Amino acid sequence: MAMQRTDVVVLGAGIVGVSAALHLQAKGRAVTLVDRAGAAATETSLGNAGIVQSEAIFPYTFPRAPGEIAAAALGLDPRVHIRYAALPWIAPWIWRYFLASSPAKRLATAMAMRGLVERCVSEHRALAEPAAVGALLREGGWIKTWRTAHGEDLAMSDVEEEKPFALPTVKLSREEVLVLEPHLGEVVRGGVHYPDPLSTSDPQALTQTYAKLFVARGGRFVVGDALSLAQSGDGWALTTAEGPLQASAAVAALGPWTSDLAKGFGYRFPLAAKRGYHMHYGAKDGASLNRPVLDLERGYLLTPMTRGLRLTTGVEFARRDDPPSSAHLDRLEPFGRELMPQLGARLDPAAWLGRRPCLPDMKPVIGPAPRHKGLWFDFGHQHLGLTLGPVSGRLLAEMMTGETPFVDPKPFRADRF
Ligand SMILES: Cc1cc2nc3c(=O)[nH]c(=O)nc-3n(C[C@H](O)[C@H](O)[C@H](O)COP(=O)(O)OP(=O)(O)OC[C@H]3O[C@@H](n4cnc5c(N)ncnc54)[C@H](O)[C@@H]3O)c2cc1C
């Protein structure tokens, strides 16, 4: 097969890689998108909760209160699930995560992330319109509900913390929650409505629609193994199903697998997978939801999706490649039936497992590889990859084409590790 040439090869066709490919293409670069799967969004970007979280300026920090840590460690907190056998491997990472979660560092991270998060909705719209995603993207925000006065305190302390950022929030009584979501159950005592975020009824279809736009604009999508990437002369070479590929620059956007590629070039990123599951459910008596709803004190979301009501779990601490377990989902499902009494039967044969690609300081890596000319990174988007994929693609493309980036890229540098 003849050697193919391209300006940039983007490795990984999740929301992050697809978005980077579109932005580089818009800057006039010939781009080839490579994934080991024959389609975009077959991994983490397939199964998330579908929220474009324009309110998520503060990161998902590790708890600091001793009681909360003890409850999580002892398996008493349904928001987290720990695979104890994995602890010898993952404890050092959790320790780094804990250290980065101090109040001062939490605020510093929020300040660094703000410039990205604030543009997430407009950057999605900029892709959604030409891609004609239609009903795949939904207005109406999402609701954080509470069951007790303690839950209300937690939610309102978040609102208080967010005040300097002028995020639109509406505190709702139980009755007001029911006006927006009439099918929620007795356990809901009130909530906070974040009206500005978007949500999608199918994260996989959304990313695939963006990928179609990339191809319609002349981009190539090719099956290949990113781990075959090698330096070649001044550029990069890769083996693909369509033959050898030569590129001037390469972007590693492999989500939780980026560390496998980086290791081969001598970069040891502390990338861990905060795992999470989903299951779809039917609904009895025509019940439905209009937007994603969080059960704050139990730590899962219910999102209306094309396939049904999707319950997404909080975090499972395990090694990335540990086998899946239905334990966390099984524990949360009864809470889901309290939150929405008309939640119907399971629709999937097994829970889907996803791996949030997480660095301990809760920021992605977006920028050049420190020791390899023409190699770039765009990964580690943790709980917010759907939110931040498009805006990260813009930042990366501006850096790669020598433009002044719209936001200070320093906090996202690869050499901070
Ligand atoms: C339960 C759950 C709920 C979530 N909810 C939300 C939410 O509501 N909002 C939000 O913003 N984010 C959410 N997230 C996070 C979000 O889904 C991720 O941050 C995002 O999908 C990461 O995208 P990515 O493109 O970096 O990785 P991925 O989507 O995993 O893409 C990586 C790609 O690399 C490819 N690949 C891997 N290895 C190779 C190789 N060797 N060769 C070629 N290709 C390879 C894979 O096939 C894959 O296509 C959630 C995550 C989970 C698990």
Side-chain angles (χ1 to χ4, degrees), residues 11-17 34-37 39-53 224-227 253-257 274-278 301 312-314 352 354-357 378-388:
L11 305 166
I15 183 66
V16 172
V34 173
D35 200 286
R36 63 185 171 195
T42 59
E43 293 284 355
T44 332
S45 302
L46 176 159
N48 54 55
I51 314 180
V52 178
Q53 286 190 254
D225 183 357
L227 299 185
L254 299 161
W257 295 277
K274 280 195 198 168
R275 306 185 348 155
Y277 297 85
H278 85 216
L301 274 151
T312 44
T313 70
W352 170 87
R355 301 160 174 89
R356 302 173 183 93
D378 189 1
F379 72 99
H381 291 78
Q382 28 101 11
H383 295 247
L384 296 175
L386 173 66
T387 303
L388 298 177

Side-chain angles (χ1 to χ4, degrees), residues 197-377:
L198 303 174
S199 65
T200 175
S201 53
D202 188 338
Q204 181 182 41
L206 182 71
T207 302
Q208 290 182 345
T209 309
Y210 290 169
K212 274 189 204 135
L213 177 66
F214 165 74
V215 172
R217 287 175 168 174
R220 287 182 71 226
F221 184 107
V222 176
V223 174
D225 183 357
L227 299 185
S228 68
L229 186 76
Q231 279 184 301
S232 161
D234 248 9
W236 296 89
L238 188 80
T239 311
T240 77
E242 293 178 25
L245 179 68
Q246 194 86 33
S248 310
V251 176
L254 299 161
W257 295 277
T258 311
S259 44
D260 297 352
L261 179 135
K263 207 163 48 188
F265 295 101
Y267 301 103
R268 303 233 158 232
F269 291 112
L271 186 66
K274 280 195 198 168
R275 306 185 348 155
Y277 297 85
H278 85 216
M279 172 58 67
H280 292 98
Y281 298 85
K284 296 174 205 154
D285 311 322
S288 62
L289 292 178
N290 298 311
R291 55 179 68 67
V293 174
L294 173 72
D295 187 348
L296 173 65
E297 290 142 288
R298 302 293 183 266
Y300 66 90
L301 274 151
L302 268 188
T303 303
M305 295 277 174
T306 314
R307 179 162 166 71
L309 290 161
R310 178 179 289 183
L311 189 157
T312 44
T313 70
V315 171
E316 179 182 68
F317 285 108
R319 283 177 293 176
R320 183 189 70 190
D321 298 329
D322 281 344
S325 146
S326 69
H328 201 189
L329 181 79
D330 292 344
R331 184 171 184 196
L332 293 173
E333 185 179 299
F335 298 128
R337 297 192 184 285
E338 289 174 355
L339 184 75
M340 187 171 172
Q342 284 138 311
L343 197 66
R346 289 187 175 197
L347 299 179
D348 305 323
W352 170 87
L353 166 65
R355 301 160 174 89
R356 302 173 183 93
C358 296
L359 293 152
D361 66 359
M362 295 157 280
K363 288 176 293 190
V365 169
I366 306 169
R371 299 184 297 279
H372 293 80
K373 187 172 155 279
L375 177 61
W376 295 75
F377 292 117

Side-chain angles (χ1 to χ4, degrees), residues 126-152:
L127 300 184
E129 207 182 285
V133 303
L136 278 174
L137 265 187
R138 169 173 59 203
E139 310 264 350
W142 65 279
I143 302 178
K144 185 186 278 189
T145 63
W146 55 77
R147 294 168 173 245
T148 64
H150 175 64
E152 180 175 352

